[in-house]
Amino acid sequence: MDQVFYLLAILGCSDDNLDCRQARVEPARYTSHASCQEAMADALRRNADLDFPVIAGACQRQTPEMAGAGAAKAGGKGR
């Protein structure tokens, strides 16, 4: 069975909350969707400095393979 964890993405959204894009990702990894959801209110307060009309959060399911693919893409862009 694959190890699964959750990342908390911070989204910047339009006034109508329909057009959202990922602005940041919290550095913590959560072992369950519930623990990620519990951390969301504090994370949104920490990220209130973003210049969007609406700030939202989304818990995103990840596996080590998915995380590795994301790191490889970032590395390929000169980061």
Side-chain angles (χ1 to χ4, degrees):
M1 183 173 174
D2 288 335
Q3 180 183 2
V4 174
F5 59 91
Y6 294 84
L7 297 176
L8 180 47
I10 305 300
L11 309 173
C13 302
S14 60
D15 283 321
D16 57 10
N17 208 24
L18 294 177
D19 182 28
C20 296
R21 63 181 171 167
Q22 184 172 303
R24 295 180 180 153
V25 175
E26 284 284 293
R29 292 182 178 184
Y30 302 93
T31 57
S32 71
H33 189 267
S35 62
C36 181
Q37 288 287 110
E38 289 174 11
M40 193 174 298
D42 287 338
L44 292 174
R45 281 191 283 278
R46 281 192 299 276
N47 288 280
D49 64 314
L50 290 171
D51 190 24
F52 290 91
V54 177
I55 305 298
C59 294
Q60 300 176 341
R61 184 178 185 269
Q62 299 283 304
T63 64
E65 293 79 21
M66 293 168 78
K73 285 182 185 178
K77 293 183 181 179
R79 286 185 184 192

